[in-house]
Amino acid sequence: MPDGSIFKRCGCRHPDTGKPLGNACPKLRRPNRAWSFEHGHWAYQLELPATGDGRRRQLRRTGMNSRRDAAAELDHARALLALARHDRRRRGEIADLLQSTVRAGGVLPDVDGVRQRLRGDGPLGQIPTVAEYLTQWLNDLTIDANTIRGYESIVRVHLIPHLGQIPVDKLRTGHVRAMFTAIERRNQEIRAAKASANPLVRATVAGVRPTGPSTRQRIRACLRKAINDALADELIVGSNPAALVKTPADRPLPIVWEDERVQRWKATGTVPGPVMVWTDTQIVQFLDYAAEHAPDLYPMWHYMAYRGPRRGEACGLRDSEVRLHRRETTINNQIATHGYTAVQKPPKSRAGNRDLVLDAETVKVLTAYKARRARWQLAAGSSWPDTGLFFVRPDGQPWHPNAVTQRFRRLIRQAGLPPIRLHDLRHSAATVALDAGVDIKVLAEQLGHSTTTLTRDTYQSVTKDHHRSAADAVANTINRRRPKTA
């Protein structure tokens, strides 16, 4: 066990020289040589392992309120040194940590925390707070810029306000659960304020939206990624608390615009849910209207309604990946938005890179569009830009995804159709495909889902043919039990 001692010091100075008396002050001891109760403050001193170049060093803390406090911290320092056992390198690192902590006036690190970092051979220095770590983590990321933008928003709005002051190695599942509890409490406050009869109360939450299930999932995913990186860098050891906390997975399911719902919407303006899909009849009505009133965008919307690509995938479809003679297109590019800036990049997942086989009607529409595009190019002459994209504006420039969405919304209102989002056109395509009997695996590949789980969970509850068959089977079984009447 390293040597150490506990003693008293004071601030008295020699009357002649003015030098500090330290522990030589006569007032520090009583006549029996015991320490005085009234004068001075407690301190301890501990011999530390020598420095790398062999110089002797000591750990000393003064200004402590009681002998008990000094003894407890001395024992704490000894326990930390004992963790390294005979490992001279790690004993030296612990000594460095003790010296730097005491010089800064800080609290000695937790024994269990240092023991964990020793097991993982991680650094023993001061562990950053969640706020400090996440700030540096964002700066070091080398992933897609749009993903970083999303992470930055989550860190700024949610993670730092709720968890920022906690040291990373002290973060526990209880802290993460408390964050989500606070987020839901705030959601309830927002909903109550929006429903208030007082316009001043409603004004306090104008433009404020509750944090929905999808956002809570992204918050958890961002924190889980950040802590996994801290574990991989051996900054901390143990388990990832974000991975152990589950968030509600109540993804909103698509609701079909059945006739009764349309009538209710026309009477009240109420939309039944956040994700609405058109029936095949409504899709036809929209496309017929678009062909007449928005011929420049009609071919893209037709392609989305029939084959279900995402908005960015349709906008970024390359001209070289459209093979109408073989009735197929290849999705290997998309136009994403970073803020409002449009950026071309590959699909995010391997499943997103896929071939889409076309039906005869879509081939006919796209063939007519190519002929129209050739006329646009001929009229533009040398000013026609070479974008390499299939769907372009009449001047040859790429379509900005936000502009496609805005035109879509405006055209729906003009056509008097029940509202859906542009992304819901993809949902409509999936729902119609399932109603048509398309196999779930084929549909998952068509949509670019990595597994059939998302496809099944999202869309199969919307289709009703198998439910009708089940209902008829139950009714037939019951009816066979009924007594026959003459």
Side-chain angles (χ1 to χ4, degrees):
M1 181 69 68
D3 294 334
S5 60
I6 299 173
F7 53 93
K8 270 198 158 185
R9 293 178 64 89
C10 68
C12 297
R13 293 179 177 271
H14 195 282
D16 296 330
T17 64
K19 293 181 178 180
L21 292 174
N23 58 2
C25 177
K27 297 179 183 179
L28 286 175
R29 291 189 181 271
R30 293 176 286 171
N32 65 357
R33 303 304 297 164
W35 292 110
S36 169
F37 291 118
E38 294 83 14
H39 192 71
H41 49 258
W42 289 97
Y44 72 84
Q45 180 174 294
L46 176 66
E47 192 76 15
L48 293 176
T51 62
D53 56 5
R55 288 182 290 114
R56 182 185 176 193
R57 56 179 168 171
Q58 293 179 328
L59 181 70
R60 179 179 293 181
R61 173 101 75 175
T62 62
M64 308 191 78
N65 295 326
S66 68
R67 190 182 195 285
R68 178 178 296 178
D69 290 345
E73 184 161 312
L74 176 59
D75 289 342
H76 190 160
R78 286 169 171 162
L80 287 169
L81 285 170
L83 292 175
R85 298 186 180 181
H86 303 298
D87 188 332
R88 295 180 63 181
R89 177 179 67 86
R90 293 306 244 174
R91 282 176 62 83
E93 290 178 3
I94 294 175
D96 293 341
L97 175 62
L98 289 171
Q99 274 196 316
S100 62
T101 301
V102 169
R103 285 172 179 168
V107 178
L108 296 188
D110 179 68
V111 173
D112 288 337
V114 173
R115 179 185 290 112
Q116 283 188 338
R117 294 197 286 278
L118 284 170
R119 288 172 181 167
D121 201 31
L124 303 184
Q126 183 66 35
I127 297 297
T129 64
V130 171
E132 292 167 342
Y133 170 69
L134 289 176
T135 301
Q136 186 60 47
W137 174 72
L138 287 171
N139 290 334
D140 294 341
L141 286 175
T142 56
I143 57 176
D144 176 77
N146 218 26
T147 303
I148 293 178
R149 185 188 297 271
Y151 283 164
E152 287 174 341
S153 175
I154 289 170
V155 167
R156 173 175 48 83
V157 176
H158 300 286
L159 296 181
I160 287 181
H162 290 286
L163 306 174
Q165 298 306 309
I166 304 168
V168 176
D169 63 335
K170 300 294 185 185
L171 187 65
R172 299 291 182 265
T173 55
H175 298 127
V176 182
R177 290 194 185 98
M179 173 183 66
F180 285 117
T181 299
I183 289 173
E184 183 53 36
R185 189 182 304 119
R186 176 57 179 159
N187 284 347
Q188 294 171 2
E189 293 172 355
I190 293 171
R191 296 186 191 103
K194 286 184 177 292
S196 173
N198 187 336
L200 295 179
V201 174
R202 293 198 304 273
T204 62
V205 290
V208 178
R209 294 186 301 174
T211 303
S214 296
T215 302
R216 293 199 292 272
Q217 291 277 12
R218 288 194 290 272
I219 294 170
R220 175 177 175 266
C222 176
L223 181 61
R224 184 178 64 235
K225 161 71 173 165
I227 300 302
N228 277 341
D229 288 349
L231 290 166
D233 292 340
E234 297 183 340
L235 175 65
I236 58 175
V237 296
S239 59
N240 188 334
L244 302 175
V245 175
K246 304 301 180 185
T247 55
D250 47 346
R251 180 189 297 271
L253 295 176
I255 300 174
V256 178
W257 274 116
E258 306 281 7
D259 289 343
E260 294 79 6
R261 292 170 182 147
V262 173
Q263 295 305 316
R264 176 69 176 169
W265 164 71
K266 288 181 176 178
T268 66
T270 301
V271 178
V275 180
M276 301 300 298
V277 299
W278 281 332
T279 63
D280 49 2
T281 300
Q282 291 158 347
I283 292 174
V284 170
Q285 291 174 349
F286 169 75
L287 291 178
D288 286 349
Y289 190 87
E292 181 178 354
H293 295 87
D296 52 345
L297 273 171
Y298 159 69
M300 182 191 295
W301 289 332
H302 177 104
Y303 178 59
M304 295 175 69
Y306 274 61
R307 304 310 297 149
R310 299 173 178 88
R311 178 187 71 171
E313 294 169 345
C315 291
L317 181 64
R318 291 189 172 114
D319 203 25
S320 59
E321 302 302 334
V322 177
R323 297 171 293 278
L324 297 180
H325 64 288
R326 296 174 57 180
R327 292 177 47 179
E328 65 182 25
T329 61
T330 297
I331 302 294
N332 56 16
N333 185 52
Q334 62 173 327
I335 296 181
T337 53
H338 294 184
Y340 187 78
T341 303
V343 178
Q344 291 193 51
K345 60 181 184 179
K348 289 185 67 173
S349 67
R350 184 173 181 176
N353 289 272
R354 63 200 187 277
D355 292 332
L356 290 183
V357 177
L358 306 178
D359 59 281
E361 180 65 21
T362 300
V363 170
K364 180 180 177 182
V365 169
L366 298 188
T367 300
Y369 162 73
K370 282 193 70 173
R372 175 179 292 221
R373 192 186 65 181
R375 292 195 293 273
W376 292 342
Q377 182 174 357
L378 183 62
S382 60
S383 65
W384 182 264
D386 182 14
T387 64
L389 298 175
F390 183 74
F391 293 116
V392 293
R393 294 174 359 199
D395 62 359
Q397 295 294 335
W399 280 107
H400 193 291
N402 290 1
V404 177
T405 295
Q406 292 166 4
R407 287 277 299 278
F408 181 77
R409 290 173 180 165
R410 185 161 61 246
L411 206 66
I412 288 175
R413 290 194 297 269
Q414 294 171 356
L417 286 164
I420 66 170
R421 304 170 304 167
L422 179 56
H423 190 72
D424 295 337
L425 201 59
R426 170 176 163 87
H427 291 312
S428 298
T431 303
V432 172
L434 283 175
D435 279 336
V438 174
D439 182 81
I440 192 74
K441 189 174 188 312
V442 173
L443 180 59
E445 292 175 356
Q446 172 190 323
L447 297 175
H449 292 163
S450 56
T451 69
T452 60
T453 302
L454 175 60
T455 316
R456 182 181 294 106
D457 291 347
T458 304
Y459 299 113
Q460 276 201 333
S461 62
V462 182
T463 61
K464 299 177 181 176
D465 285 346
H466 57 292
H467 292 295
R468 291 191 181 97
S469 299
D472 290 340
V474 171
N476 291 336
T477 299
I478 294 174
N479 288 335
R480 284 200 299 268
R481 308 299 184 204
R482 292 182 182 276
K484 293 182 180 181
T485 58

